[in-house]
Amino acid sequence: MCGIVGAVAQRDIVGVLTEGLRRLEYRGYDSCGVAVLQHGAPRRVRSIERVANLAEQVEDARLSGTIGVAHTRWATHGAPITDNAHPIFSRDEIALVHNGIIENHEPLRDELKALGYAFESDTDTEVIAHLIHHTREEDASRDLLTAVQRALQRLRGAYAIAVFAKSEPDRVIGARAGSPLVVGMGERGNYLASDAMALSGTAEHFIFLEEGDIAVLSCNGVHIVDRDGATAHREVQAQHANHYATELGPYRHYMQKEIFEQPDVVADATERVRSITPALFGAKAQRAFSEIDSLLLLACGTSYYSALTAKYWFESIAGIPTQVEIASEYRYRESVVNPCAMVVVVSQSGETADTLAALKHAQEIGHHHTLAICNVPHSSMMRLTELHYSTGAGPEIGVASTKAFTTQLVALFVLALTLGKERGRVSTDDEAHALRQLHHLPAALNSVLALEPQIVAWAQALARKDHALFLGRGVHYPIALEGALKLKEISYVHAEAYPAGELKHGPLAIVTNEMPVITIAPNDTLLEKLKSNMQEVRARGGQLYVLADAGTKIESSDGVRVIQLPGHYGPLSPILHVVPLQLLAYHTACVRGTDVDKPRNLAKSVTVE
Ligand code: G6P
C-alpha cells in the first residue's frame, strides 16, 4: 500500500528517493512519483507504470535537488491515473505525499473550493496540500511547521505525510497519525520513509515516530514535536543487522525465495526457544498469563489463518477457551467484553489498519491484557501492546505471505505450550518432546521442500483450471483456507476451502470431473473420516490431488494424484502441510504468467481500511 520517502541532504537526493521507492514496491502500488525543489521551484515526475520506469523519466527530466518527497500510490480515492499520483502540489508552493485516508475530505474540499482553490485530482490528499497552503497564507509567520500543525488538527482519518514548501528550501516535514512513518538519520542528510527498509544503506539510525508526532528534518538535525506541540525526545535506534538479504539472489521471485528461506527462519525462531517460559513474551507476561481465562485473537488475511490454526492448539494443549475473529469485523460490532480475555493480535507488518484499529477498540472497551505477535519489531502493534513476541522471519517482500505465516505458527505454538505449562497441562516430558519437535522442524521442512518437482507437475494441470476446492479437517482446515487464499491471490484461479465434513452440505454440487480437489491428508485421528469424504468426491468424478502423510495408505489411482509427505508430525503438522500449498500456488502462478510478487489489486501492507 502507499509508500512514502522524503529526504533533505547536502547532496542530490533523487537517487535516494527512487531507490527508496524501489524498496517500497513490495507494499503494492499502481502509480508513483517524485518531487524535488529545483532552481527554487517544486518539480515533479509521476508515472502510472513501475518505479523503474519512473526512475528513467526522472533521469530524462534531469530532476535534481537537495530536498524532496516521493511516493508509491495504491489507489483509494480516484483512479490510478497520473493526475491522481502523488506528489500533490498546491499552487506550486507546497509539495506533499500522503498515505492513509482523510474521512472528512468532502466538506474540506467544498470549503477550499469556496476559497478559490482549484482541484486537479480526485484524491483526498489534495485537500491536505491546499489546507496547509491556506493555513500558511493566513499566518503572518508563514511558518510551514505551524501550518502543518494547524492543518492536521482539522483532519479526520489516518495519515502519514511528507511535505515541503518552495519558500522553506532547507526542510522537509513528516507527520503520522494512524499510518507508519520512520525518520532515518545519515551522515549527510535526514530522511523519512514508511518503512526503515526503504532507507537501508542511506540512514544509520532511526526514530519510529509515535502517533501524532510531527518531525522537522533539515540537514543539521531532526526536531520532533508531539501532538500537543511540545518537543518530544524519541528513542534513536541503530539499524538492525538482518542476515536475510532483501536482494533476490538466485531466485526468480521473492515469494519463491521466501518459501525456501523457511527452514532457516524457522531454525532461528525455534533456536531461541530453549525452554518454555512466559518471559519469552515480555517481562509482564507471567502476571498477565495468571490473570487471563481465555484468548481473543484478531488478525487479517494470512495472519487470520495462522490464528485460526492456533485455536486448535490453545484449546487442546492449554485448555484455554479461544475465539478468533477477523479484525475488520470485530472492530465494528458490539461484542461482550470479558476483561479476563487476553487480546492477541497477529500480524506480519504490525501496521495493518484493521488489526490496529481492532486492537485499539479492544483496549477502549476494557481489555487490559494484550499481546502482539508480529514480524516487524518496532511496528505500531508491538508498541501498543502489553506483551510482544517478534516472529523474526526477516523482511518479507512477496505480497503473498509465506515465511511470516510459518513463523507466526511457531510463535503461536510456543504460546500454547507456555499457557499449557502455566495451567499445569504440559508436563516436563511434554515440554521436552515438544521442544525436540520444534527443533527438528527445519529438517522436516527441507524434506517437504524437496517435493517441489512433483508439485510443479500438479501446477501444470491446475494452471488450466478456473476453479479449485481445498479440503482439510481439524487443525488442517485453516491450512486448506490458507492454500486456497494463496492460489487466489497470485494465480487468480478461483479457490475455496471447506472442512471436508461440510462437503455434502453444498460444495459437492459443483464437483464434476473438471474440478480439482486439493486434499490435506495427515495421518491423524480424522484420517478415516477424510477418506470417506474423498470417496464422495471421486464418486462425482472430482479430481483429487492429495497431500498424504506416509502411512496413510492413500495411493495414486485413476483421478487420484498423491504426493507423499514424511510421516505425521503431530500437532506441528500444519506447518509442514502448508508448504506444498505455497509451492502449488507459486508454480501455478508461474505457469499462468502472473506477476507473482505483486499480484493485481493487492498490497503487502494494508495501512488503510
Ligand atoms: C495483506 C497481505 C497479506 C496479509 C494481510 C495481513 O492482505 O497481502 O499477505 O496476510 O495483509 O497483513 P499483516 O501484516 O497484518 O499480517
Side-chain angles (χ1 to χ4, degrees):
M1 207 146 267
C2 303
I4 288 177
V5 190
V8 44
Q10 292 158 342
R11 58 183 170 129
D12 182 21
I13 43 75
V14 168
V16 171
L17 296 177
T18 50
E19 175 59 17
L21 290 189
R22 194 186 66 74
R23 292 180 190 196
L24 292 177
E25 278 193 294
Y26 78 96
R27 295 164 73 92
Y29 69 104
D30 34 41
S31 60
C32 47
V34 173
V36 293
L37 193 62
Q38 188 168 15
H39 309 308
R43 280 191 70 206
R44 70 183 163 191
V45 172
R46 299 181 288 177
S47 169
I48 50 166
E49 293 180 49
R50 309 313 288 175
V51 170
N53 173 276
L54 175 79
E56 279 172 22
Q57 288 187 45
V58 162
E59 212 176 306
D60 293 347
R62 297 181 188 279
L63 220 59
S64 73
T66 55
I67 71 168
V69 293
H71 193 257
T72 48
R73 172 173 188 257
W74 191 84
T76 56
H77 294 66
I81 54 171
T82 310
D83 280 348
N84 290 334
H86 304 198
I88 298 285
F89 285 180
S90 178
R91 296 197 174 160
D92 278 337
E93 169 65 30
I94 301 289
L96 178 132
V97 293
H98 163 226
N99 171 12
I101 289 180
I102 303 306
E103 286 164 9
N104 58 337
H105 70 101
E106 278 175 355
L108 287 172
R109 179 179 275 256
D110 292 344
E111 186 183 318
L112 288 156
K113 273 186 180 166
L115 287 164
Y117 283 91
F119 278 77
E120 290 169 359
S121 76
D122 306 316
T123 64
D124 50 343
T125 304
E126 193 168 354
V127 158
I128 317 176
H130 293 322
L131 196 59
I132 291 174
H133 183 275
H134 172 64
T135 315
R136 196 159 170 266
E137 291 288 300
E138 280 197 317
D139 174 24
S141 74
R142 293 287 194 100
D143 175 50
L144 181 61
L145 173 61
T146 313
V148 168
Q149 283 173 310
R150 289 193 186 151
L152 295 187
Q153 279 164 11
R154 301 215 41 214
L155 303 181
R156 271 205 332 268
Y159 56 80
I161 61 162
V163 57
F164 70 82
K166 172 177 155 181
S167 47
E168 296 189 33
D170 54 355
R171 55 184 184 162
V172 170
I173 293 184
R176 74 158 283 180
S179 299
L181 197 64
V182 58
V183 174
M185 290 166 292
E187 242 175 52
R188 297 174 61 200
N190 292 308
Y191 309 90
L192 285 168
S194 300
D195 168 331
M197 204 156 56
L199 301 176
S200 129
T202 300
E204 290 94 44
H205 292 92
F206 292 91
I207 294 173
F208 295 87
L209 295 179
E210 301 281 332
E211 285 294 276
D213 280 356
I214 301 181
V216 183
L217 278 67
S218 67
C219 277
N220 307 325
V222 176
H223 176 221
I224 298 173
V225 292
D226 66 16
R227 63 169 83 240
D228 301 319
T231 296
H233 300 283
R234 304 287 180 225
E235 194 187 344
V236 178
Q237 323 234 4
Q239 181 168 24
H240 285 272
N242 199 312
H243 56 282
Y244 297 112
T246 48
E247 299 308 323
L248 204 45
Y251 295 99
R252 206 171 140 198
H253 297 101
Y254 279 104
M255 182 181 179
Q256 184 190 27
K257 170 177 181 269
E258 287 155 7
I259 290 173
F260 280 88
E261 266 176 7
Q262 288 177 113
D264 287 345
V265 294
V266 167
D268 282 355
T270 53
E271 194 50 40
R272 63 185 157 120
V273 186
R274 303 310 313 178
S275 70
I276 297 297
T277 155
L280 290 165
F281 297 88
K284 297 184 189 153
Q286 176 99 52
R287 217 195 77 212
F289 288 166
S290 71
E291 289 176 0
I292 60 167
D293 65 6
S294 56
L295 298 174
L296 168 59
L297 278 77
L298 302 171
C300 300
T302 287
S303 298
Y304 171 68
Y305 294 140
S306 73
L308 267 189
T309 309
K311 175 184 164 84
Y312 290 83
W313 293 333
F314 290 131
E315 300 215 337
S316 65
I317 299 172
I320 187 160
T322 303
Q323 220 187 311
V324 184
E325 198 158 336
I326 289 183
S328 56
E329 287 295 315
Y330 172 77
R331 64 181 285 198
Y332 289 120
R333 79 180 176 86
E334 282 180 33
S335 50
V336 178
V337 182
N338 169 9
C340 294
M342 173 171 278
V343 170
V344 183
V345 283
V346 185
S347 173
Q348 189 285 126
S349 60
E351 303 291 351
T352 301
D354 281 320
T355 313
L356 201 53
L359 169 63
K360 290 178 186 165
H361 173 70
Q363 287 170 326
E364 276 161 24
I365 62 175
H367 284 284
H368 318 298
H369 293 307
T370 53
L371 162 66
I373 293 186
C374 285
N375 192 35
V376 179
H378 300 291
S379 59
S380 302
M381 283 178 219
M382 292 291 249
R383 285 184 286 141
L384 277 177
T385 44
E386 177 190 30
L387 310 180
H388 335 98
Y389 193 100
S390 177
T391 50
E396 190 179 65
I397 309 285
V399 164
S401 185
T402 52
K403 63 175 182 169
F405 179 74
T406 38
T407 50
Q408 281 170 355
L409 287 178
V410 168
L412 290 161
F413 186 73
V414 171
L415 179 61
L417 289 175
T418 310
L419 292 171
K421 193 173 163 186
E422 291 299 292
R423 298 161 75 86
R425 289 175 58 112
V426 171
S427 68
T428 316
D429 280 356
D430 296 338
E431 178 181 345
H433 177 71
L435 286 174
R436 273 197 304 279
Q437 292 284 97
L438 272 173
H439 293 140
H440 182 259
L441 254 183
L445 282 166
N446 271 320
S447 57
V448 176
L449 286 168
L451 300 170
E452 190 183 27
Q454 296 175 59
I455 293 163
V456 172
W458 281 15
Q460 299 285 350
L462 205 58
R464 293 193 294 271
K465 303 288 181 183
D466 295 323
H467 308 276
L469 270 181
F470 285 69
L471 300 181
R473 293 192 78 125
V475 70
H476 294 87
Y477 164 52
I479 298 302
L481 286 165
E482 171 60 5
L485 175 65
K486 281 280 140 311
L487 192 68
K488 271 186 282 224
E489 277 181 304
I490 58 165
S491 76
Y492 317 146
V493 172
H494 168 229
E496 285 189 66
Y498 272 88
E502 191 66 10
L503 203 55
K504 52 193 165 300
H505 299 293
L508 212 45
I510 54 167
V511 172
T512 65
N513 60 5
E514 280 301 305
M515 179 64 84
V517 182
I518 294 111
T519 308
I520 305 170
N523 194 4
D524 62 11
T525 52
L526 295 168
L527 180 64
E528 292 313 314
K529 304 277 176 212
L530 185 80
K531 282 182 176 173
S532 307
N533 304 139
M534 287 163 53
Q535 293 299 333
E536 292 161 10
V537 171
R538 272 312 291 141
R540 275 91 192 164
Q543 301 295 303
L544 283 168
Y545 293 73
V546 190
L547 293 165
D549 281 357
T552 50
K553 299 201 176 88
I554 302 173
E555 307 287 341
S556 292
S557 58
D558 184 30
V560 184
R561 297 169 173 84
V562 179
I563 293 180
Q564 193 143 102
L565 272 75
H568 184 50
Y569 209 76
L572 289 169
S573 167
I575 299 183
L576 296 189
H577 272 274
V578 76
V579 173
L581 299 180
Q582 296 169 342
L583 284 169
L584 183 61
Y586 172 71
H587 285 291
T588 306
C590 288
V591 176
R592 289 169 71 98
T594 60
D595 190 349
V596 172
D597 285 331
K598 300 181 201 83
R600 70 180 175 212
N601 308 336
L602 300 182
K604 178 74 184 161
S605 188
V606 183
T607 50
V608 296
E609 208 183 322

